[in-house]
Amino acid sequence: MSVTAAQGFTAAGIAAGIKENGNPDLALVVNNGPRLAAAGVFTSNRVKAAPVLWSEQVLRSGRISAVVLNSGGANACTGPKGFQDTHATAEKVADVLGVNAAEVAVASTGLIGVLLPMDKLLPGVDTAAAQLSEHGGEKAAIAIKTTDTVHKTSVAQGEGWTVGGMAKGAGMLAPGLATMLVVLTTDADVDAETLDKALRAATRVTFDRVDSDGCMSTNDTVLLLASGASGITPEYAEFAEAVRTVCDDLGQQLVRDAEGASKDIKIEVINAATEDDAVEVGRSIARNNLLKCALHGEDPNWGRVLSAIGTTKAAFEPDRLNVAINGVWVCKNGGVGEDRDKVDMRYREVHIVADLAAGSETATVWTNDLTADYVHENSAYSS
Amino acid sequence: MSVTAAQGFTAAGIAAGIKENGNPDLALVVNNGPRLAAAGVFTSNRVKAAPVLWSEQVLRSGRISAVVLNSGGANACTGPKGFQDTHATAEKVADVLGVNAAEVAVASTGLIGVLLPMDKLLPGVDTAAAQLSEHGGEKAAIAIKTTDTVHKTSVAQGEGWTVGGMAKGAGMLAPGLATMLVVLTTDADVDAETLDKALRAATRVTFDRVDSDGCMSTNDTVLLLASGASGITPEYAEFAEAVRTVCDDLGQQLVRDAEGASKDIKIEVINAATEDDAVEVGRSIARNNLLKCALHGEDPNWGRVLSAIGTTKAAFEPDRLNVAINGVWVCKNGGVGEDRDKVDMRYREVHIVADLAAGSETATVWTNDLTADYVHENSAYSS
C-alpha cells in the first residue's frame, strides 16, 4: 500500500534508464490535497547531496506538491552542475503536473560523484506522470531500491485516517539518519508544524537509532506529506504514535535487509543516568567491528561489549556493569557472570542488554553483524 | 635486538603453558641499572584490565625494575581476583629477582573476561628468570604475540646510546592507543620526567594515529625504561627523536600485520585549520567501513572519503574539499576531479590525501582495509 495507502495521493514507479541494468529507477509521489502540508528530516552529514540542499529549501514553506525520487545515482559531490540537474528535475515535474517547482521535493540515491543522465531522467518524468495512480505506491517503493533485496512499505491506521510510507536502505545505515530515502504520507488533516513535531519525535527514536555500519550518508531524506483528504484531525498523541509506528516498522525492515548481514542485533541500554548516555553507549556497542564479527561467529564475546562501553563518556563504574546476551547475564559487576555456554546464538536476532547501573534511562539501538558478505558487497559496489 | 639492544637490560621469553597450544606466552624484561627510570602510557578506555591498573600505580614512582608480560589472557574484566593475580605476579617476579614488587610492571594480552592460569604463570616466572640474557630480546618479543604473524622489534642508535623496543598488536588497533603492548628500553642516562615527556610526544603522533579497526582495547600499555648504562645524557631533542623513530617503526609494523588486511592505508590530512581538525578528519576516514571495503576492492571511491569528512566538526567548506588517491586528484572542489580510472590500486600501500583548504595544519593517520579475512579471524577468535 505504501505511499498511496492514505487518500489524496497518487504515485508511480518506472524504469527511466538511469540504472544500466534496466531496473525501475524513478518514482513520483503526488499530493492531490486538499492540503499540501509537509515536513522533512535530512542527513546531518555536512557534505550534502544536491537534492538534499534543494529539498531543505522546498520545506521552508511547509508545502510539498510532489516528490520525485531516483535510484541509480546520488547526485552528491557533483558541484554546481549537480544542483542545476536537481533544479531542472523539479522544474520538469512542476511543468508536467502543473504545480510550483518550489513545492517539488527531490531525492536521489546511488553512487556519489557521478552526474545523473538527465537525457533519461527528464523523459522518465513524463512516463511516470502518465502512470500516476492511487495504486502506484508499490511500484514507487520498488523504483527507489538500490542494493535492497526487498522493497519496504508500511501502513498504520487511525480512526478514519491513515499513515503509510515507503523506504529504501540496505547499507550505509547510520544515524543522523540511517541512510535511506523515506516518504511517508497521511490523509489526516494536520498542519506542517504538527507534521514536523511528530516526524522529529518519531525519527529520533527509530531511524536515528538504526546503525548498521556507522557510515553516514550524504543523501538521507525522510519526508512526511499530509493531504487532509480524510477531513479528520486526530489527537496529536495518536497521530504521533502512528507516525512512530510506521517509522519503527520501516526502520526494522532496513535492519533486516542490511547488506550481507546474518544477525539483527538489538542493543538495549538500561539504567543509564541520561537518555543521551544510553544512546551514546548503544551506538558505541553498535559500531564495534570486533563485537560485530564475534556475533557473526555466534560468539557471545561480552568483553568486547565492555571495551566498547569503556570508550564512552557515559556515567558508569566499570565494576558495576552488567551485560546479558540473549537473556544470559554473561557479565556481572564488570566481571565474569553466568556461563557463556548457556547463550543460544543460533537465531538471527541477537539481544544485548547493557546495564550501566547509573540511573533509570533507557535506549535501544539496532545494528547488524559484520560479515564477509558485507565486505564483498561493498568492495564491488561502484566497480 | 629488541629490548636488549640497549645496555643494562636482560630479557627472556618462554612457554609457561598459559596458551593451550604451547606457544611462548611469558616474557620478562629486567632493568639492571644503574638507573631505574621509567615512563608509561596506557589505554584511555575506562574499562581497564587489572595489569593496567597495577602498572599505572607502579609508574607513580617513576621507577621500574622489571616488566613481566603474558599473552594468552588479558586479565581484563576479571574483578578483584584478576587484580589479586596481577599483584601476585608482581610479587613473584620481585621475589625471584630480589627487587621491590612496587617496581614491577605487569602487562597482559589475550581474551577478555577469563582468569589467568596462575598455576602455570607463576612457575613460568621462575623459568623465565633463569633464562634472562642480554640476548633475550628476540625471545621476549616472540612470547608476547597473540594473533601477530610476526614479532615486532626496532632499534635507533644515538652517539653511544641506544633506544630499542618490542611490540605486539595485530587487531583491535585504535588510538588511545593502538591496541598493543610495547616495551621500549634505553641505556641513555635520562630521568623519569624526561622519559615521560619524550614518550608522550612520540606516542601522540605514532601509536595514537594507528587506527586499524576503530576498536579500543582494555590493555594497551607502552613502557619506556632507562638504565643509564651508557653514562650518556643526550640532548632532549635528539633523544625524543630516537624514541619517536622507534615508535613510528613499531607502529608501521603493527599496521602491516593487521588482522586480515590486504592494504595499508596512509591518510594524510592537509591544510586543516588545526592539528586536532586534521586528526579528527583522519580518524573519521580511517573508520569508515564502506571506504575500507571499497579500497579492499581496489575501488578509489572518493565519495566515501567526502561522506566521512562530512561527519566531522572540522573547519571546511564542502565545495572546497580536494581528495587525491595514490597521487590522482579524483575530487576537486567537492566534485569530480581527475579520471578515477587513472588511479593505480594494485599495490599494498594506498595513499589518501584529504585537502581541507582551511588552514595549514597536517596529520597522518594509518589504517587498513576491511576484508573477509578480518571478519573470519575475529568471528572465530574466542571460540
Side-chain angles (χ1 to χ4, degrees):
Chain A
M1 293 289 281
S2 178
V3 288
T4 48
Q7 298 172 64
F9 293 92
T10 51
I14 62 128
I18 304 166
K19 286 179 180 165
E20 287 183 2
N21 63 9
N23 283 343
D25 50 21
L26 190 73
L28 198 55
V29 180
V30 178
N31 186 351
N32 300 299
R35 208 189 250 284
L36 297 179
V41 182
F42 299 92
T43 182
S44 54
N45 199 309
R46 290 169 59 200
V47 175
K48 294 181 204 301
V52 169
L53 296 170
W54 171 268
S55 298
E56 282 181 335
Q57 289 293 329
V58 166
L59 270 173
R60 295 206 177 171
S61 69
R63 287 168 64 90
I64 288 180
S65 297
V67 186
V68 56
L69 310 93
N70 74 275
S71 53
N75 198 7
C77 307
T78 44
K81 178 67 171 73
F83 193 80
Q84 286 165 22
D85 287 348
T86 289
H87 188 175
T89 304
E91 290 283 359
K92 173 71 181 179
V93 171
D95 194 37
V96 172
L97 299 179
V99 300
N100 185 341
E103 293 173 8
V104 176
V106 182
S108 300
T109 179
L111 191 61
I112 298 175
V114 179
L115 287 165
L116 291 170
M118 296 302 286
D119 58 328
K120 291 174 179 160
L121 196 155
L122 295 181
V125 171
D126 288 310
T127 310
Q131 296 186 20
L132 281 168
S133 151
E134 290 176 4
H135 308 288
E138 205 83 11
K139 285 192 173 171
I142 291 168
I144 58 174
K145 285 170 58 185
T146 54
T147 57
D148 306 66
T149 63
V150 292
H151 62 284
K152 288 116 182 163
T153 67
S154 184
V155 174
Q157 298 284 357
E159 287 190 21
W161 54 273
T162 296
V163 176
M166 64 181 184
K168 93 93 203 174
M172 217 188 204
L173 294 173
L177 308 161
T179 298
M180 63 179 77
L181 303 184
V182 175
V183 180
L184 307 175
T185 57
T186 182
D187 47 21
D189 197 13
V190 178
D191 63 22
E193 199 179 332
T194 306
L195 291 177
D196 188 69
K197 187 176 164 193
L199 184 61
R200 287 181 194 279
T203 57
R204 193 179 71 84
V205 295
T206 57
F207 297 132
D208 265 358
R209 294 186 185 173
V210 171
D211 194 337
S212 172
D213 61 6
C215 297
M216 193 193 291
S217 151
T218 50
N219 287 59
D220 302 323
T221 301
V222 181
L223 301 174
L224 171 57
L225 281 58
S227 70
S230 72
I232 297 170
T233 304
E235 291 292 319
Y236 173 74
E238 205 183 339
F239 178 69
E241 176 58 20
V243 174
R244 196 202 59 77
T245 300
V246 172
C247 289
D248 192 45
D249 183 22
L250 291 173
Q252 295 301 313
Q253 292 181 49
L254 295 175
V255 169
R256 286 198 294 275
D257 197 28
E259 288 168 353
S262 71
K263 301 283 185 193
D264 304 332
I265 304 163
K266 179 182 183 178
I267 301 159
E268 198 179 344
V269 182
I270 64 172
N271 299 324
T274 66
E275 189 180 350
D276 283 352
D277 274 9
V279 173
E280 185 193 357
V281 167
R283 285 206 205 301
S284 178
I285 296 170
R287 292 182 177 184
N288 190 283
N289 277 353
L290 287 172
L291 175 66
K292 288 153 75 94
C293 287
L295 296 177
H296 176 54
E298 307 200 333
D299 169 12
N301 194 326
W302 59 267
R304 292 176 180 175
V305 177
L306 256 67
S307 63
I309 297 173
T311 64
T312 70
K313 295 189 171 69
F316 70 85
E317 293 300 325
D319 59 2
R320 294 195 63 201
L321 295 171
N322 306 298
V323 175
I325 301 180
N326 288 351
V328 181
W329 289 94
V330 283
C331 170
K332 287 183 182 174
N333 295 319
V336 182
E338 294 179 59
D339 185 356
R340 39 171 285 155
D341 291 343
K342 288 185 186 164
V343 183
D344 187 347
M345 297 287 291
R346 288 172 299 169
Y347 303 100
R348 184 171 173 102
E349 185 167 322
V350 178
H351 184 195
I352 296 175
V353 181
D355 173 6
L356 302 188
S360 57
E361 296 297 322
T362 294
T364 298
V365 174
W366 285 87
T367 190
N368 298 101
D369 56 343
L370 182 56
T371 70
D373 287 346
Y374 174 88
V375 174
H376 291 146
E377 280 204 45
N378 288 298
S379 60
Y381 179 59
S382 81
S383 41
Chain B
M1 294 291 281
S2 179
V3 289
T4 47
Q7 299 173 64
F9 293 92
T10 51
I14 62 127
I18 305 167
K19 287 179 180 166
E20 286 183 4
N21 63 10
N23 283 341
D25 50 21
L26 191 73
L28 199 54
V29 181
V30 178
N31 186 351
N32 300 299
R35 206 190 249 284
L36 297 180
V41 182
F42 300 92
T43 182
S44 54
N45 199 310
R46 291 169 58 201
V47 176
K48 294 182 206 299
V52 168
L53 295 170
W54 171 266
S55 298
E56 281 180 338
Q57 290 293 329
V58 167
L59 269 172
R60 296 208 175 168
S61 69
R63 287 167 65 90
I64 289 180
S65 296
V67 186
V68 56
L69 310 94
N70 75 275
S71 51
N75 198 5
C77 307
T78 43
K81 178 68 171 73
F83 194 80
Q84 285 165 22
D85 287 347
T86 289
H87 188 175
T89 305
E91 290 283 359
K92 172 73 182 178
V93 171
D95 193 38
V96 172
L97 299 179
V99 300
N100 185 342
E103 293 173 8
V104 177
V106 182
S108 300
T109 179
L111 190 61
I112 298 175
V114 179
L115 288 166
L116 292 171
M118 296 302 287
D119 58 328
K120 292 175 178 160
L121 197 154
L122 294 181
V125 170
D126 288 309
T127 311
Q131 296 187 21
L132 281 167
S133 150
E134 289 176 5
H135 308 288
E138 204 82 10
K139 284 191 174 173
I142 291 169
I144 59 174
K145 285 170 59 184
T146 54
T147 58
D148 306 66
T149 63
V150 292
H151 62 283
K152 289 116 183 162
T153 66
S154 184
V155 174
Q157 297 284 358
E159 287 190 23
W161 54 274
T162 296
V163 176
M166 65 179 184
K168 94 93 204 175
M172 218 189 202
L173 294 173
L177 307 162
T179 298
M180 63 178 77
L181 303 184
V182 176
V183 179
L184 307 175
T185 57
T186 182
D187 47 20
D189 196 13
V190 178
D191 63 22
E193 199 179 333
T194 306
L195 292 177
D196 188 68
K197 186 178 167 192
L199 183 62
R200 286 180 194 279
T203 57
R204 193 179 72 85
V205 296
T206 57
F207 297 133
D208 264 357
R209 295 187 185 172
V210 170
D211 194 337
S212 172
D213 60 8
C215 297
M216 191 192 292
S217 152
T218 50
N219 287 59
D220 302 323
T221 301
V222 181
L223 301 174
L224 171 56
L225 281 58
S227 70
S230 72
I232 297 170
T233 304
E235 292 291 321
Y236 173 73
E238 205 184 338
F239 178 69
E241 177 57 20
V243 174
R244 197 200 59 76
T245 300
V246 172
C247 288
D248 192 44
D249 182 22
L250 291 172
Q252 295 301 312
Q253 292 181 49
L254 295 175
V255 169
R256 286 198 295 275
D257 197 28
E259 287 168 352
S262 71
K263 301 283 186 193
D264 303 333
I265 305 165
K266 180 183 183 179
I267 301 160
E268 198 180 345
V269 182
I270 64 171
N271 299 322
T274 65
E275 188 179 350
D276 283 351
D277 274 8
V279 173
E280 185 192 358
V281 167
R283 284 206 207 302
S284 178
I285 297 171
R287 292 182 177 185
N288 190 283
N289 278 354
L290 288 172
L291 174 66
K292 289 154 75 95
C293 287
L295 296 176
H296 175 54
E298 308 201 332
D299 170 11
N301 195 326
W302 59 267
R304 291 174 179 174
V305 177
L306 257 67
S307 62
I309 297 173
T311 63
T312 69
K313 294 189 172 67
F316 70 85
E317 293 300 324
D319 58 2
R320 294 195 64 201
L321 295 171
N322 306 298
V323 175
I325 302 180
N326 287 351
V328 181
W329 289 94
V330 284
C331 169
K332 288 184 182 172
N333 295 319
V336 183
E338 293 180 59
D339 185 356
R340 41 171 282 152
D341 291 342
K342 287 185 187 164
V343 183
D344 187 347
M345 296 288 290
R346 289 173 299 171
Y347 302 99
R348 185 172 173 102
E349 186 169 320
V350 178
H351 184 196
I352 296 175
V353 181
D355 173 7
L356 301 188
S360 57
E361 296 297 323
T362 294
T364 298
V365 173
W366 285 88
T367 189
N368 297 101
D369 56 343
L370 182 56
T371 71
D373 287 347
Y374 175 88
V375 174
H376 291 146
E377 278 204 46
N378 287 298
S379 60
Y381 180 60
S382 80
S383 42

